[in-house]
PDB file of all heavy atoms in Angstrom:
ATOM      1  N   TYR A 145     111.086 102.678 113.809  1.00  0.00           N
ATOM      2  CA  TYR A 145     112.216 103.505 113.463  1.00  0.00           C
ATOM      3  C   TYR A 145     111.798 104.949 113.337  1.00  0.00           C
ATOM      4  O   TYR A 145     110.719 105.251 112.850  1.00  0.00           O
ATOM      5  CB  TYR A 145     112.851 103.015 112.137  1.00  0.00           C
ATOM      6  CG  TYR A 145     113.436 101.643 112.266  1.00  0.00           C
ATOM      7  CD1 TYR A 145     112.702 100.508 111.991  1.00  0.00           C
ATOM      8  CD2 TYR A 145     114.762 101.478 112.674  1.00  0.00           C
ATOM      9  CE1 TYR A 145     113.232  99.214 112.097  1.00  0.00           C
ATOM     10  CE2 TYR A 145     115.305 100.190 112.821  1.00  0.00           C
ATOM     11  CZ  TYR A 145     114.538  99.087 112.517  1.00  0.00           C
ATOM     12  OH  TYR A 145     115.056  97.824 112.656  1.00  0.00           O
ATOM     13  N   GLY A 146     112.638 105.815 113.784  1.00  0.00           N
ATOM     14  CA  GLY A 146     112.382 107.240 113.715  1.00  0.00           C
ATOM     15  C   GLY A 146     113.671 108.019 113.816  1.00  0.00           C
ATOM     16  O   GLY A 146     114.754 107.468 113.556  1.00  0.00           O
ATOM     17  N   PHE A 147     113.546 109.307 114.151  1.00  0.00           N
ATOM     18  CA  PHE A 147     114.731 110.149 114.240  1.00  0.00           C
ATOM     19  C   PHE A 147     114.669 110.943 115.526  1.00  0.00           C
ATOM     20  O   PHE A 147     113.591 111.350 115.975  1.00  0.00           O
ATOM     21  CB  PHE A 147     114.809 111.082 113.039  1.00  0.00           C
ATOM     22  CG  PHE A 147     115.001 110.361 111.761  1.00  0.00           C
ATOM     23  CD1 PHE A 147     113.941 110.016 110.957  1.00  0.00           C
ATOM     24  CD2 PHE A 147     116.285 110.035 111.313  1.00  0.00           C
ATOM     25  CE1 PHE A 147     114.099 109.315 109.774  1.00  0.00           C
ATOM     26  CE2 PHE A 147     116.469 109.336 110.141  1.00  0.00           C
ATOM     27  CZ  PHE A 147     115.372 108.981 109.347  1.00  0.00           C
ATOM     28  N   ASP A 148     115.853 111.149 116.127  1.00  0.00           N
ATOM     29  CA  ASP A 148     115.884 111.990 117.344  1.00  0.00           C
ATOM     30  C   ASP A 148     115.941 113.461 116.967  1.00  0.00           C
ATOM     31  O   ASP A 148     115.900 113.804 115.776  1.00  0.00           O
ATOM     32  CB  ASP A 148     117.024 111.539 118.261  1.00  0.00           C
ATOM     33  CG  ASP A 148     118.397 111.776 117.650  1.00  0.00           C
ATOM     34  OD1 ASP A 148     118.538 112.459 116.652  1.00  0.00           O
ATOM     35  OD2 ASP A 148     119.374 111.210 118.227  1.00  0.00           O
ATOM     36  N   GLU A 149     116.097 114.320 117.969  1.00  0.00           N
ATOM     37  CA  GLU A 149     116.038 115.756 117.737  1.00  0.00           C
ATOM     38  C   GLU A 149     117.174 116.307 116.872  1.00  0.00           C
ATOM     39  O   GLU A 149     117.043 117.388 116.304  1.00  0.00           O
ATOM     40  CB  GLU A 149     115.974 116.514 119.070  1.00  0.00           C
ATOM     41  CG  GLU A 149     117.141 116.297 119.986  1.00  0.00           C
ATOM     42  CD  GLU A 149     117.068 115.010 120.799  1.00  0.00           C
ATOM     43  OE1 GLU A 149     116.005 114.363 120.843  1.00  0.00           O
ATOM     44  OE2 GLU A 149     118.078 114.635 121.380  1.00  0.00           O
ATOM     45  N   ILE A 150     118.268 115.524 116.732  1.00  0.00           N
ATOM     46  CA  ILE A 150     119.389 116.004 115.897  1.00  0.00           C
ATOM     47  C   ILE A 150     119.513 115.227 114.589  1.00  0.00           C
ATOM     48  O   ILE A 150     120.486 115.359 113.873  1.00  0.00           O
ATOM     49  CB  ILE A 150     120.715 116.027 116.656  1.00  0.00           C
ATOM     50  CG1 ILE A 150     121.085 114.619 117.155  1.00  0.00           C
ATOM     51  CG2 ILE A 150     120.665 117.010 117.785  1.00  0.00           C
ATOM     52  CD1 ILE A 150     122.486 114.549 117.736  1.00  0.00           C
ATOM     53  N   GLY A 151     118.502 114.373 114.300  1.00  0.00           N
ATOM     54  CA  GLY A 151     118.467 113.689 113.010  1.00  0.00           C
ATOM     55  C   GLY A 151     119.073 112.293 112.960  1.00  0.00           C
ATOM     56  O   GLY A 151     119.131 111.680 111.911  1.00  0.00           O
ATOM     57  N   ASN A 152     119.521 111.759 114.111  1.00  0.00           N
ATOM     58  CA  ASN A 152     120.025 110.396 114.149  1.00  0.00           C
ATOM     59  C   ASN A 152     118.869 109.411 114.133  1.00  0.00           C
ATOM     60  O   ASN A 152     117.861 109.642 114.784  1.00  0.00           O
ATOM     61  CB  ASN A 152     120.869 110.152 115.407  1.00  0.00           C
ATOM     62  CG  ASN A 152     122.111 111.008 115.442  1.00  0.00           C
ATOM     63  OD1 ASN A 152     122.795 111.168 114.429  1.00  0.00           O
ATOM     64  ND2 ASN A 152     122.384 111.555 116.606  1.00  0.00           N
ATOM     65  N   GLN A 153     119.025 108.318 113.389  1.00  0.00           N
ATOM     66  CA  GLN A 153     117.983 107.305 113.336  1.00  0.00           C
ATOM     67  C   GLN A 153     117.930 106.583 114.680  1.00  0.00           C
ATOM     68  O   GLN A 153     118.945 106.253 115.273  1.00  0.00           O
ATOM     69  CB  GLN A 153     118.236 106.306 112.207  1.00  0.00           C
ATOM     70  CG  GLN A 153     117.080 105.339 112.054  1.00  0.00           C
ATOM     71  CD  GLN A 153     117.238 104.403 110.877  1.00  0.00           C
ATOM     72  OE1 GLN A 153     118.334 104.208 110.399  1.00  0.00           O
ATOM     73  NE2 GLN A 153     116.141 103.813 110.444  1.00  0.00           N
ATOM     74  N   THR A 154     116.695 106.354 115.136  1.00  0.00           N
ATOM     75  CA  THR A 154     116.451 105.635 116.408  1.00  0.00           C
ATOM     76  C   THR A 154     115.684 104.382 116.143  1.00  0.00           C
ATOM     77  O   THR A 154     114.968 104.263 115.121  1.00  0.00           O
ATOM     78  CB  THR A 154     115.714 106.518 117.425  1.00  0.00           C
ATOM     79  OG1 THR A 154     114.444 106.902 116.865  1.00  0.00           O
ATOM     80  CG2 THR A 154     116.491 107.762 117.768  1.00  0.00           C
ATOM     81  N   LYS A 155     115.818 103.430 117.023  1.00  0.00           N
ATOM     82  CA  LYS A 155     115.119 102.163 116.924  1.00  0.00           C
ATOM     83  C   LYS A 155     114.468 101.849 118.265  1.00  0.00           C
ATOM     84  O   LYS A 155     115.178 101.639 119.246  1.00  0.00           O
ATOM     85  CB  LYS A 155     116.145 101.083 116.527  1.00  0.00           C
ATOM     86  CG  LYS A 155     115.611  99.701 116.366  1.00  0.00           C
ATOM     87  CD  LYS A 155     116.749  98.808 115.853  1.00  0.00           C
ATOM     88  CE  LYS A 155     116.613  97.381 116.244  1.00  0.00           C
ATOM     89  NZ  LYS A 155     117.684  96.550 115.768  1.00  0.00           N
ATOM     90  N   LYS A 156     113.157 101.854 118.309  1.00  0.00           N
ATOM     91  CA  LYS A 156     112.457 101.654 119.588  1.00  0.00           C
ATOM     92  C   LYS A 156     111.707 100.322 119.519  1.00  0.00           C
ATOM     93  O   LYS A 156     110.860 100.112 118.638  1.00  0.00           O
ATOM     94  CB  LYS A 156     111.462 102.779 119.793  1.00  0.00           C
ATOM     95  CG  LYS A 156     110.718 102.691 121.095  1.00  0.00           C
ATOM     96  CD  LYS A 156     109.759 103.880 121.246  1.00  0.00           C
ATOM     97  CE  LYS A 156     108.902 103.663 122.458  1.00  0.00           C
ATOM     98  NZ  LYS A 156     107.884 104.728 122.581  1.00  0.00           N
ATOM     99  N   PRO A 157     111.990  99.405 120.447  1.00  0.00           N
ATOM    100  CA  PRO A 157     111.302  98.104 120.458  1.00  0.00           C
ATOM    101  C   PRO A 157     109.859  98.213 121.006  1.00  0.00           C
ATOM    102  O   PRO A 157     109.575  99.043 121.845  1.00  0.00           O
ATOM    103  CB  PRO A 157     112.132  97.236 121.359  1.00  0.00           C
ATOM    104  CG  PRO A 157     112.844  98.182 122.258  1.00  0.00           C
ATOM    105  CD  PRO A 157     113.011  99.456 121.494  1.00  0.00           C
ATOM    106  N   SER A 158     109.005  97.416 120.443  1.00  0.00           N
ATOM    107  CA  SER A 158     107.602  97.284 120.875  1.00  0.00           C
ATOM    108  C   SER A 158     107.338  95.811 121.083  1.00  0.00           C
ATOM    109  O   SER A 158     107.591  95.009 120.192  1.00  0.00           O
ATOM    110  CB  SER A 158     106.685  97.891 119.795  1.00  0.00           C
ATOM    111  OG  SER A 158     105.344  97.604 120.076  1.00  0.00           O
ATOM    112  N   GLU A 159     106.853  95.432 122.256  1.00  0.00           N
ATOM    113  CA  GLU A 159     106.703  94.013 122.586  1.00  0.00           C
ATOM    114  C   GLU A 159     105.234  93.611 122.692  1.00  0.00           C
ATOM    115  O   GLU A 159     104.424  94.358 123.201  1.00  0.00           O
ATOM    116  CB  GLU A 159     107.400  93.729 123.918  1.00  0.00           C
ATOM    117  CG  GLU A 159     108.878  93.979 123.893  1.00  0.00           C
ATOM    118  CD  GLU A 159     109.580  93.665 125.200  1.00  0.00           C
ATOM    119  OE1 GLU A 159     108.892  93.376 126.197  1.00  0.00           O
ATOM    120  OE2 GLU A 159     110.816  93.688 125.202  1.00  0.00           O
ATOM    121  N   THR A 160     104.938  92.402 122.178  1.00  0.00           N
ATOM    122  CA  THR A 160     103.637  91.800 122.302  1.00  0.00           C
ATOM    123  C   THR A 160     103.795  90.378 122.809  1.00  0.00           C
ATOM    124  O   THR A 160     104.548  89.612 122.244  1.00  0.00           O
ATOM    125  CB  THR A 160     102.926  91.736 120.926  1.00  0.00           C
ATOM    126  OG1 THR A 160     102.870  93.051 120.360  1.00  0.00           O
ATOM    127  CG2 THR A 160     101.538  91.185 121.040  1.00  0.00           C
ATOM    128  N   VAL A 161     103.086  90.028 123.889  1.00  0.00           N
ATOM    129  CA  VAL A 161     103.170  88.688 124.451  1.00  0.00           C
ATOM    130  C   VAL A 161     102.016  87.857 123.934  1.00  0.00           C
ATOM    131  O   VAL A 161     100.859  88.264 123.965  1.00  0.00           O
ATOM    132  CB  VAL A 161     103.129  88.731 125.995  1.00  0.00           C
ATOM    133  CG1 VAL A 161     103.167  87.324 126.580  1.00  0.00           C
ATOM    134  CG2 VAL A 161     104.288  89.568 126.529  1.00  0.00           C
ATOM    135  N   ILE A 162     102.369  86.674 123.362  1.00  0.00           N
ATOM    136  CA  ILE A 162     101.372  85.728 122.874  1.00  0.00           C
ATOM    137  C   ILE A 162     101.643  84.363 123.487  1.00  0.00           C
ATOM    138  O   ILE A 162     102.675  84.155 124.119  1.00  0.00           O
ATOM    139  CB  ILE A 162     101.376  85.644 121.336  1.00  0.00           C
ATOM    140  CG1 ILE A 162     102.702  85.094 120.845  1.00  0.00           C
ATOM    141  CG2 ILE A 162     101.058  87.022 120.714  1.00  0.00           C
ATOM    142  CD1 ILE A 162     102.737  84.796 119.335  1.00  0.00           C
ATOM    143  N   GLN A 163     100.781  83.428 123.273  1.00  0.00           N
ATOM    144  CA  GLN A 163     100.932  82.058 123.732  1.00  0.00           C
ATOM    145  C   GLN A 163     101.502  81.219 122.599  1.00  0.00           C
ATOM    146  O   GLN A 163     101.209  81.448 121.423  1.00  0.00           O
ATOM    147  CB  GLN A 163      99.609  81.469 124.191  1.00  0.00           C
ATOM    148  CG  GLN A 163      99.042  82.168 125.423  1.00  0.00           C
ATOM    149  CD  GLN A 163      99.881  81.847 126.635  1.00  0.00           C
ATOM    150  OE1 GLN A 163      99.954  80.713 127.090  1.00  0.00           O
ATOM    151  NE2 GLN A 163     100.512  82.864 127.194  1.00  0.00           N
ATOM    152  N   CYS A 164     102.334  80.208 122.945  1.00  0.00           N
ATOM    153  CA  CYS A 164     102.952  79.377 121.939  1.00  0.00           C
ATOM    154  C   CYS A 164     103.110  77.951 122.462  1.00  0.00           C
ATOM    155  O   CYS A 164     102.933  77.686 123.641  1.00  0.00           O
ATOM    156  CB  CYS A 164     104.328  79.926 121.541  1.00  0.00           C
ATOM    157  SG  CYS A 164     105.594  79.718 122.803  1.00  0.00           S
ATOM    158  N   LYS A 165     103.407  77.061 121.526  1.00  0.00           N
ATOM    159  CA  LYS A 165     103.875  75.708 121.853  1.00  0.00           C
ATOM    160  C   LYS A 165     105.357  75.709 121.582  1.00  0.00           C
ATOM    161  O   LYS A 165     105.853  76.417 120.710  1.00  0.00           O
ATOM    162  CB  LYS A 165     103.220  74.664 120.909  1.00  0.00           C
ATOM    163  CG  LYS A 165     101.741  74.572 120.989  1.00  0.00           C
ATOM    164  CD  LYS A 165     101.272  73.553 119.946  1.00  0.00           C
ATOM    165  CE  LYS A 165      99.795  73.656 119.643  1.00  0.00           C
ATOM    166  NZ  LYS A 165      99.385  72.738 118.596  1.00  0.00           N
ATOM    167  N   VAL A 166     106.100  74.895 122.299  1.00  0.00           N
ATOM    168  CA  VAL A 166     107.557  74.824 122.130  1.00  0.00           C
ATOM    169  C   VAL A 166     107.922  73.444 121.615  1.00  0.00           C
ATOM    170  O   VAL A 166     107.405  72.426 122.104  1.00  0.00           O
ATOM    171  CB  VAL A 166     108.284  75.107 123.474  1.00  0.00           C
ATOM    172  CG1 VAL A 166     109.790  74.977 123.284  1.00  0.00           C
ATOM    173  CG2 VAL A 166     107.912  76.476 123.981  1.00  0.00           C
ATOM    174  N   LYS A 167     108.809  73.404 120.612  1.00  0.00           N
ATOM    175  CA  LYS A 167     109.308  72.136 120.077  1.00  0.00           C
ATOM    176  C   LYS A 167     110.815  72.211 120.009  1.00  0.00           C
ATOM    177  O   LYS A 167     111.399  73.291 119.916  1.00  0.00           O
ATOM    178  CB  LYS A 167     108.804  71.933 118.632  1.00  0.00           C
ATOM    179  CG  LYS A 167     107.336  71.561 118.536  1.00  0.00           C
ATOM    180  CD  LYS A 167     106.896  71.450 117.086  1.00  0.00           C
ATOM    181  CE  LYS A 167     107.704  70.439 116.273  1.00  0.00           C
ATOM    182  NZ  LYS A 167     107.227  70.296 114.904  1.00  0.00           N
ATOM    183  N   SER A 168     111.460  71.083 120.036  1.00  0.00           N
ATOM    184  CA  SER A 168     112.895  71.044 119.866  1.00  0.00           C
ATOM    185  C   SER A 168     113.224  70.932 118.381  1.00  0.00           C
ATOM    186  O   SER A 168     112.429  70.488 117.560  1.00  0.00           O
ATOM    187  CB  SER A 168     113.518  69.912 120.638  1.00  0.00           C
ATOM    188  OG  SER A 168     113.016  68.688 120.165  1.00  0.00           O
ATOM    189  N   VAL A 169     114.429  71.326 118.052  1.00  0.00           N
ATOM    190  CA  VAL A 169     114.935  71.201 116.686  1.00  0.00           C
ATOM    191  C   VAL A 169     115.461  69.770 116.552  1.00  0.00           C
ATOM    192  O   VAL A 169     116.213  69.281 117.393  1.00  0.00           O
ATOM    193  CB  VAL A 169     116.071  72.221 116.421  1.00  0.00           C
ATOM    194  CG1 VAL A 169     116.689  71.987 115.062  1.00  0.00           C
ATOM    195  CG2 VAL A 169     115.525  73.648 116.547  1.00  0.00           C
ATOM    196  N   GLY A 170     115.076  69.086 115.491  1.00  0.00           N
ATOM    197  CA  GLY A 170     115.504  67.711 115.266  1.00  0.00           C
ATOM    198  C   GLY A 170     116.966  67.624 114.954  1.00  0.00           C
ATOM    199  O   GLY A 170     117.601  68.600 114.451  1.00  0.00           O
TER     200      GLY A 170
END
């Protein structure tokens, strides 16, 4: 989170790829 040049709050995504196992919901 930050602010642009006129003071509006901004939200910039940052992505990280990892390995996982997948399960179904019971």
Side-chain angles (χ1 to χ4, degrees):
Y145 294 91
F147 295 94
D148 64 15
E149 60 279 348
I150 60 172
N152 295 318
Q153 187 175 18
T154 61
K155 179 175 152 180
K156 181 180 174 185
S158 170
E159 299 180 352
T160 304
V161 178
I162 64 171
Q163 295 291 295
C164 72
K165 299 178 196 176
V166 179
K167 287 178 56 178
S168 61
V169 174

